[in-house]
Every structure is written in C-alpha cells, then in structure tokens.
C-alpha cells in the first residue's frame, strides 16, 4: 500500500506530557468553540439529493446522540485532567440505519470534518512504538469498537500498523495498548490514529458510548501520565519489582468494593479480584503465577480509577 502526502504545513506537537507523548491533543484538554477536541474529528459525509425540477438540495435526517451534530465531541468524564473525548453512534432516520461513530486524528487543529488529511508528522527522535490509551466503553448491544494506528515513511509507504479491539468495561476506565508491527526499517515520518465504533464483522447500536483519554505511543509517555495520576491519590503499592506478592494500601476514604485488575504487556486482563474495603489495611495480591514482564494494576474504587505499573521478575 502506498500513498503520497505533503510534507509541509504540519503543526508542531501540543501535549502536556512532553514530546514523548507524540499525539496531538492526546489528552483532549484543548477544546474548540464547537465542543470538539482540537485535532480530532469525524469523516462523515452525508448524502445530498438534488431535485432536478426545483434545484433544491436535501439531506437525510440524522439523529445525533446529543445536541451537537457530531460523532465525537468533548467529554466531562475524563480519566485525568478536565476533559476527554467521547464517540457515539448516530441514526439515519431516512434510511433507518445506524451510523457508526468515529474519530480521526487531524494535523490541522481546526479540522473536524471530511477532507484531505496529510497525517501527523513524526519528528526525528520521537518514539512511536505502541498505541495506548485509557477508555471506558458502554455498548448498547454486542458492539465491538476498534482503535488503529498506521505509520508511513517519508515516501508514503505504509511501514507499520497496530489495532486494538475495544469491548465493554461496565463504566470503568481500563488501560490498553498494542505494539506496532513494523514491516520495514525505514524511518517513520507520518502516522494516523483512528477510533471507530464498529469493528469489521460487528454491529454498531444507537446509544453506545466510548470515552477515550490520554492517547500515547510509548511507555515513557505513559509513565508521565501515571506520575500525574499518582499525585492525585493516596493509593500505594509495594514492591514495584515483584516476586510473589504485591502489597496494596488503599485510600482511607475508599469505601465499598474495590476492584483490582492486572493487565499484561498486551493490555489484556490476566487477573482480577474484588475486595470489600471496611478499614485502611494492606491487601496482598498473589502474582506468583504471572510470567516475567511489565504489568499494570488498575484499582477501581468509589473515589476514582488508579493505574500503577509493576514488574514481575
């Protein structure tokens, strides 16, 4: 697959996580007046019918999930910070069918509708190794959403790609990532990131919602996200280099059931425990059966969802 793209006119990166984060407005804190996140939008083209006798143009009647005529927009349910991005499906009442929601990354911060998208430039030295993000997915049916990143060299040749299946999370944030499968040693020059509410082979339902936050392309960027989150809570774990057990000290303000979920290096759930928290205590979680490698411990309580990283040796 080969495409040609213009090299000029691309904007510099803008992210609170430093240049490691790679993704333009990947934390979705920059919001435009139309309530869409800067650098993110949809490629929805509505059919237009022209009456040959009157010359009047009409379009299909579209029911959007909210009052905003868009498939992606700002969300005030962030994993961290002030805002995130929400994607939802629309309904074409004229054709009686669901329009799957989507969001794509634009190099132009003002663009949010169909048009030529030259991709986001990858500056020399930038680390584009994975596609990772926090999300919560509330499907109205058996929906499966999908995230995808595609990387090109400076001649427009596709040299790497990765995709992530997104399934329901019961209104809880989860972190997931996937390594980019590079098929060439050429230097990455551009990348495209997209989220769609209908993976090929699945069926989108009107009423499904997907919230995305903190999109990153490497672990250094993720570390900065996690460091920011750790400053906002008093959950702690020890040790971070684990042999048998990992000890977790919950917040004294957390009440009810606390959910402990461990995700592996592919972003998949490998262990999960639900514990009733009645007093401040040290909870020991046995991880001896896990293979060596990097893991993420997600702690979900009535206060918030916290993610901690540890290494099993």
């Amino acid at each position: 697959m080969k495409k040609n793209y213009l090299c000029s006119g691309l904007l510099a990166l803008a992210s609170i996580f430093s240049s490691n984060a790679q993704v333009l407005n990947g934390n979705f804190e920059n919001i435009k007046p139309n309530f869409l996140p800067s650098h993110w939008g949809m490629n929805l083209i509505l059919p237009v019918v022209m009456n040959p006798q009157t010359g009047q143009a009409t379009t299909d009647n579209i029911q959007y999930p909210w009052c905003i005529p868009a498939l992606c927009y700002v969300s005030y349910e962030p994993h961290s910070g002030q805002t995130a991005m929400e994607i939802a499906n629309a309904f074409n009442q004229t054709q009686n069918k669901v329009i799957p929601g989507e969001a794509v990354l634009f190099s132009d911060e003002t663009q949010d509708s169909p048009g030529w998208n030259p991709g986001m430039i990858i500056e020399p030295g930038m680390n584009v190794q994975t596609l990772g993000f926090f999300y919560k997915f509330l499907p109205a049916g058996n929906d499966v959403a999908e995230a995808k990143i595609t990387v090109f060299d400076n001649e427009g040749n596709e040299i790497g790609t990765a995709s992530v299946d997104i399934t329901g999370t019961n209104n809880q944030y989860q972190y997931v990532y996937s390594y980019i499968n590079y098929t060439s040693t050429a230097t990455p020059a551009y990348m495209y990131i997209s989220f769609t509410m209908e993976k090929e082979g699945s069926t989108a339902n009107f009423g499904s919602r997907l919230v995305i936050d903190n999109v990153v392309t490497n672990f250094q960027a993720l570390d900065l996200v996690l460091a920011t989150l750790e400053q906002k809570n008093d959950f702690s774990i020890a040790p971070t280099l684990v042999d048998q057990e990992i000890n977790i000290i919950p917040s004294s303000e957390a009440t009810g059931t606390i959910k402990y979920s461990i995700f592996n290096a592919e972003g998949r759930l490998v262990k999960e425990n639900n514990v009733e928290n009645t007093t401040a205590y040290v909870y020991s979680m046995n991880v001896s059966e896990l293979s060596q490698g990097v893991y993420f411990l997600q702690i979900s309580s009535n206060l918030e969802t916290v993610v901690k990283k540890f290494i099993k040796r």
Side-chain angles (χ1 to χ4, degrees), residues 133-254:
F133 51 92
F134 288 93
Y135 76 96
K136 60 178 179 178
F137 187 35
L138 294 85
N142 295 322
D143 311 40
V144 178
E146 184 180 44
K148 186 175 182 180
I149 184 171
T150 308
V151 181
F152 298 86
D153 64 16
N154 58 10
E155 294 183 356
N157 300 300
E158 181 180 311
I159 61 173
T161 186
S163 62
V164 179
D165 289 354
I166 301 173
T167 55
T169 61
N170 194 27
N171 205 28
Q172 295 287 339
Y173 266 106
Q174 291 187 7
Y175 180 76
V176 66
Y177 68 93
S178 179
Y179 282 103
I180 297 172
N181 178 28
Y182 280 101
T183 57
S184 169
T185 58
T187 301
Y190 305 93
M191 67 178 177
Y192 294 80
I193 297 177
S194 65
F195 294 91
T196 176
M197 294 286 281
E198 186 179 61
K199 180 186 175 181
E200 184 177 356
S202 69
T203 301
N205 288 274
F206 185 65
S208 297
R209 299 174 55 228
L210 172 63
V211 185
I212 302 292
D213 205 2
N214 297 326
V215 182
V216 297
T217 61
N218 59 67
F219 289 115
Q220 292 90 340
L222 176 61
D223 286 340
L224 293 173
V225 174
L226 297 180
T228 301
L229 295 177
E230 288 185 1
Q231 295 174 3
K232 299 174 58 179
N233 68 81
D234 55 356
F235 283 85
S236 61
I237 67 172
T240 54
L241 185 59
V242 187
D243 290 313
Q244 300 292 325
E245 291 184 337
I246 185 168
N247 299 311
I248 309 158
I249 304 176
S251 168
S252 59
E253 298 179 2

Side-chain angles (χ1 to χ4, degrees), residues 263-279:
F263 297 86
N264 65 10
E266 296 178 351
R268 301 304 173 191
L269 181 67
V270 295
K271 188 178 181 69
E272 185 174 78
N273 288 340
N274 293 322
V275 178
E276 289 295 324
N277 183 38
T278 55
T279 59

Side-chain angles (χ1 to χ4, degrees), residues 235 250-260 275-281 300-304:
F235 283 85
S251 168
S252 59
E253 298 179 2
T255 59
T257 301
I258 300 179
K259 183 178 180 180
Y260 300 98
V275 178
E276 289 295 324
N277 183 38
T278 55
T279 59
Y281 67 104
S300 301
S301 71
N302 63 305
L303 298 176
E304 59 186 340

Side-chain angles (χ1 to χ4, degrees), residues 108-120:
D108 182 355
E109 65 178 349
T110 65
Q111 188 173 351
D112 52 41
S113 60
W116 181 63
N117 184 6
M120 199 196 94

